């Protein structure tokens, strides 16, 4: 299996008759999935998602793919194809369309409905084309065919991309649930037909490649939810992704069976389920759904709240409930169900919310103590099936952390794909398909783009480091006034600290040393304020490290008078 080298150089121009594949997100992380295909100077994009921040990225709202690679080539983009409606596949679309609003968006009915609602909030009216399984479209040099796949959201599609360079299958997110709630299974007959036709390159979902066997059925969750509902004494709160239509359907069915009313909590949950119900993907039992504002009109034993926040997001409904910062409250006798899996990196945030809810007296049911969620991704056994059916000429694992990609590549090799034809790439690594062979051609710059409030791409890694230091180590400000002609210290130095456990008086011990350092700089002649500030920073920094065992952010200020 070929690994990207850390010193990869920019790729040369695409070879004549070759197809270039450049992932801009989703390889090396679970989120912000985006892949660019280039043939004959034209570009096709599959998915454009977001990544949610981790604890070491304070203040960040979202993380986008790096669009710099496309900045000078926006007019070359034929379309964006969306495989399904999860945020890690569609959340970045508004930010791409800010650069060119008329890029055509292709996707299934539900996926387009979700992205159109999102784009409306950004005041963008997109150019869309609804497609369904079995449908084919020709966009420039790209012949597209869409294949039904089963996932944890309805209407998922794999996409076949045909060019003179060869046939590519991008599976999108998928699993092979043989008893799906909506009866829509992954179309293995189409996969077999493609295998007979010949798949030159398969880009395959890696998320569960480390998990042996087969992913459990969605139907297995129904009886578990029924049992939890039967035992619950007070109100029930269920947390899930705002787009998990199947899970909401199961909650509605269980609530109707146990004569409970359901209120949706969270703007995105209300919006998405309204869309799903309008389009017929969600069947709401009559009289079951109520407005959250009327929840107090019903006894807690007769209510269910369907909320966002299953990943511990600070501003989502469940986190705010745990922090007593929401109109909804929980306490003894209430039951909270986490009906989703843990996205890698979110563990601490989720456990923090679980602990907060249990501190309030609630019973918490989660994947660790009950089967209240099954994954939406194919496990190793299913991936082996797919490779044996497709018999691809080359494999490029996608969607996952490095460990997932490596595990997926190993599965392909087990089924007979030559190891040298399994390409393990990361974000930004360009892979060329030429004469039926996929090879790494180089790498393009591809960093994280942070959305922080209204700013996009303004926050750098260095600034995030400053935020972490401020949050973890504290802040010290040192101020002194010096005579402009003599350099003599007139006022100060004064020290103020924030985020430190110590009282400011603890710094009195270091003030004589700071003054001595300033006088020493002045005594050398030709001293400027910058040199004085650096001298103060060094003295205080060494003292804080030795005495306080801290490395705070130190801001020295010298004013000439």
């Amino acid at each position: 299996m070929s690994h990207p080298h850390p010193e990869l150089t920019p790729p040369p121009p695409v070879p004549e008759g070759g197809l270039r594949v450049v992932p801009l997100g989703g390889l090396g992380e679970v989120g912000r999935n985006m892949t660019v295909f280039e043939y004959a100077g034209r570009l096709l994009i599959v998915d454009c998602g977001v990544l949610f921040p981790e604890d070491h990225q304070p203040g960040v709202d979202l993380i986008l793919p790096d669009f710099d690679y496309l900045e000078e080539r926006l007019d070359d983009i034929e379309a964006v194809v969306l495989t399904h409606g999860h945020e890690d596949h569609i959340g970045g679309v508004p930010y791409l369309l800010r650069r060119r609003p008329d890029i055509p968006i292709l996707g299934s009915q539900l996926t387009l409905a979700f992205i159109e609602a999102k784009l409306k909030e950004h005041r963008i009216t997109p150019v869309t084309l609804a497609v369904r399984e079995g449908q084919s479209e020709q966009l420039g040099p790209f012949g597209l065919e869409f294949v039904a796949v089963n996932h944890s959201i309805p209407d998922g599609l794999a996409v076949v991309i045909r060019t003179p360079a060869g046939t590519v299958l991008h599976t999108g997110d998928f699993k092979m649930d043989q008893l799906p709630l909506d009866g829509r299974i992954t179309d293995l007959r189409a996969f077999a037909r493609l295998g007979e036709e010949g798949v030159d390159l398969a880009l395959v979902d890696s998320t569960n490649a480390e998990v042996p066997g087969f992913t459990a059925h969605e139907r297995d969750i129904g009886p578990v939810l029924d049992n939890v509902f039967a035992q619950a004494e007070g109100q029930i709160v269920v947390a899930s992704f705002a787009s998990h239509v199947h899970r909401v359907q199961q909650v509605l069915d269980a609530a109707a069976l146990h004569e409970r009313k359901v209120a949706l909590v969270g703007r995105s949950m209300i919006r998405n389920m309204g869309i799903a119900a309008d389009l017929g993907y969600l069947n709401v039992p009559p009289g079951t759904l109520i407005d959250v504002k009327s929840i107090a009109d019903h006894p807690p034993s007769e209510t269910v709240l369907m909320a966002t926040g299953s990943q511990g997001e600070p501003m989502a409904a469940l986190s705010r409930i745990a922090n007593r910062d929401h109109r909804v409250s929980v306490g003894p006798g209430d039951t909270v169900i986490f009906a989703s899996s843990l996205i890698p990196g979110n563990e601490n945030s989720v456990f923090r919310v679980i602990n907060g809810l249990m501190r309030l007296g609630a019973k918490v049911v989660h994947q660790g103590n009950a089967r209240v969620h099954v994954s939406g991704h194919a496990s190793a056994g299913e991936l082996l099936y797919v490779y044996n059916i497709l018999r691809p000429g080359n494999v490029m694992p996608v969607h996952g952390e490095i460990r997932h990609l490596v595990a997926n590549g190993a599965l392909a090799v087990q089924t007979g794909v030559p190891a040298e034809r399994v390409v393990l790439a990361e974000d930004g690594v360009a892979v060329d398909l030429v004469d039926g062979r996929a090879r790494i051609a180089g790498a393009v710059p591809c960093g994280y783009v942070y959305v922080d409030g209204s700013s996009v791409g303004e926050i750098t890694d260095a600034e995030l480091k400053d935020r972490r230091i401020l949050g973890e180590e504290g802040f010290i400000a040192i101020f002194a006034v010096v005579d402009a002609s003599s350099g003599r210290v007139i006022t100060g130095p004064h020290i103020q600290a924030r985020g430190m456990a110590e009282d400011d008086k603890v710094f009195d011990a270091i003030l004589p040393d700071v003054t001595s350092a300033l006088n020493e700089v002045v005594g050398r002649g030709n001293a400027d304020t910058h040199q004085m500030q650096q001298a103060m920073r060094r003295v205080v920094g060494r003292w804080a490290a030795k005495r306080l065992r801290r490395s705070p952010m130190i801001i020295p200020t010298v004013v000439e008078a």
Side-chain angles (χ1 to χ4, degrees):
M1 293 187 285
S2 55
H3 289 258
H5 192 275
E7 301 302 326
L8 283 174
T9 56
V14 181
E16 184 75 25
L19 174 69
R20 174 161 291 170
V21 184
V22 181
L24 296 182
L27 274 69
E29 69 231 341
V30 178
R32 67 172 200 147
N33 298 280
M34 181 176 184
T35 309
V36 180
F37 297 85
E38 178 176 358
Y39 183 84
R42 303 299 292 171
L43 305 177
L44 178 76
I45 297 171
V46 174
D47 289 331
C48 183
V50 295
L51 178 68
F52 293 102
E54 298 181 24
D55 287 346
H56 65 273
Q57 294 156 329
V60 173
D61 300 319
L62 298 170
I63 305 171
L64 301 175
D66 190 340
F67 300 142
D68 284 354
Y69 175 66
L70 302 170
E71 197 62 49
E72 303 300 321
R73 305 195 57 190
L74 293 171
D75 291 337
D76 296 336
I77 300 173
E78 293 284 352
V80 175
V81 176
L82 301 176
T83 58
H84 64 283
H86 279 150
E87 283 295 301
D88 60 331
H89 291 258
I90 70 171
V93 171
Y95 301 93
L96 178 62
L97 293 195
R98 285 183 185 181
R99 290 165 163 80
R100 184 189 147 198
D102 65 341
I103 299 174
I105 309 294
L106 279 70
S108 63
Q109 182 185 38
L110 183 65
T111 304
L112 288 185
F114 279 0
I115 192 60
E116 285 168 353
K118 182 180 292 291
L119 288 168
K120 188 174 182 180
E121 294 180 0
H122 288 259
R123 298 178 182 175
I124 297 173
T125 303
V127 177
T128 60
L129 174 63
V131 294
R132 56 178 296 115
E133 57 264 29
Q135 187 170 335
S136 296
E137 296 290 337
Q138 186 72 36
L139 298 176
F142 303 101
L144 305 181
E145 180 186 344
F146 300 94
V147 179
V149 292
N150 176 247
H151 185 41
S152 56
I153 185 174
D155 248 6
L157 294 170
V159 57
V160 183
I161 303 168
R162 294 184 174 90
T163 70
T167 299
V168 177
L169 171 65
H170 192 309
T171 66
D173 289 2
F174 82 103
K175 62 177 175 177
M176 288 162 50
D177 191 337
Q178 299 304 299
L179 299 169
L181 294 177
D182 59 2
R184 187 174 178 273
I185 64 171
T186 294
D187 191 349
L188 297 180
R189 291 182 299 176
F191 278 15
R193 173 175 54 78
L194 291 167
E196 292 296 324
E197 176 187 322
V199 174
D200 297 290
L201 176 61
L203 280 69
V204 181
D205 177 8
S206 306
T207 312
N208 271 0
E210 290 184 311
V211 180
F214 292 75
T215 301
H217 303 305
E218 291 280 346
R219 290 184 187 270
D220 293 348
I221 295 171
V224 180
L225 285 176
D226 181 44
N227 186 50
V228 174
F229 274 50
Q231 295 180 14
E233 299 172 358
Q235 71 176 342
I236 298 172
V237 180
V238 184
S240 180
F241 293 116
S243 53
H244 203 331
V245 178
H246 293 324
R247 193 67 71 249
V248 175
Q249 183 68 67
Q250 289 173 311
V251 170
L252 287 171
D253 292 343
L257 182 65
H258 293 275
E259 298 182 343
R260 286 177 177 258
K261 303 294 184 183
V262 179
L264 303 178
V265 183
R267 188 169 55 91
S268 55
M269 176 72 75
I270 294 170
R271 181 192 68 199
N272 288 347
M273 292 310 120
I275 291 170
D278 290 344
L279 295 177
Y281 292 95
L282 185 70
N283 177 33
V284 181
T288 301
L289 208 56
I290 61 172
D291 191 290
V292 69
K293 294 176 182 175
S294 64
I295 201 78
D297 299 336
H298 302 269
S301 60
E302 297 178 7
T303 61
V304 179
L305 295 162
M306 190 78 216
T308 56
S310 62
Q311 298 303 307
E313 305 95 308
M315 296 309 294
L318 198 61
S319 294
R320 292 172 58 203
I321 291 172
N323 292 329
R324 300 184 180 183
D325 183 30
H326 198 278
R327 74 171 77 189
V328 174
S329 62
V330 300
D334 294 336
T335 301
V336 180
I337 304 171
F338 280 76
S340 65
S341 58
L342 272 176
I343 294 176
N346 292 346
E347 294 88 350
N348 289 340
S349 299
V350 173
F351 293 144
R352 192 180 302 122
V353 174
I354 289 175
N355 288 327
L357 293 166
M358 296 186 75
R359 187 177 294 115
L360 295 174
K363 176 184 177 182
V364 180
V365 181
H366 54 85
Q367 196 175 14
N369 58 26
R371 177 167 280 183
V372 287
H373 178 72
V374 297
S375 175
H377 302 271
S379 296
E382 293 154 270
L383 294 175
L384 291 172
Y385 259 82
V386 167
Y387 287 130
N388 281 326
I389 292 171
L390 291 176
R391 293 290 180 191
N394 302 269
V395 169
M396 181 175 168
V398 296
H399 196 291
E401 298 178 355
I402 299 300
R403 59 193 175 97
H404 304 131
L405 306 180
V406 171
N408 195 357
L411 293 173
V413 172
Q414 288 178 37
T415 64
V417 179
E420 64 273 13
R421 287 178 175 260
V422 175
V423 180
L424 294 179
E426 294 181 69
D427 294 343
V429 172
V431 176
D432 287 349
L433 179 65
V434 181
D435 297 328
R437 183 72 184 271
R439 293 186 176 89
I440 290 174
V444 304
C446 186
Y448 278 9
V449 176
Y450 301 107
V451 178
D452 183 358
S454 61
S455 77
V456 179
E458 303 298 324
I459 299 297
T460 65
D461 286 324
E463 286 162 331
L464 283 182
K465 181 180 178 182
D466 288 346
R467 288 183 180 183
R468 288 195 296 273
I469 292 172
L470 283 168
E472 297 166 7
E473 301 291 341
F475 170 87
I476 296 176
I478 326 162
F479 176 79
V481 179
V482 300
D483 185 274
S485 56
S486 67
R488 184 174 58 86
V489 177
I490 301 172
T491 303
H494 298 295
I495 294 181
Q496 283 190 321
R498 292 290 182 270
M500 312 280 285
E502 294 76 12
D503 188 278
D504 281 358
K505 291 180 180 178
V506 76
F507 299 105
D508 292 347
I510 192 62
L511 293 179
D513 292 342
V514 176
T515 303
S516 297
L518 286 172
N519 291 334
E520 185 180 332
V521 172
V522 172
R524 291 199 296 264
N526 300 320
D528 60 21
T529 55
H530 176 72
Q531 290 174 310
M532 295 181 186
Q533 288 170 175
Q534 293 304 100
M536 292 198 300
R537 185 198 303 274
R538 282 193 296 271
V539 172
V540 174
R542 283 196 296 265
W543 181 84
K546 184 177 180 180
R547 171 74 186 276
L548 306 178
R549 306 285 190 217
R550 304 285 286 276
S551 299
M553 179 175 289
I554 301 172
I555 306 295
T557 304
V558 174
V559 177
E560 292 184 323

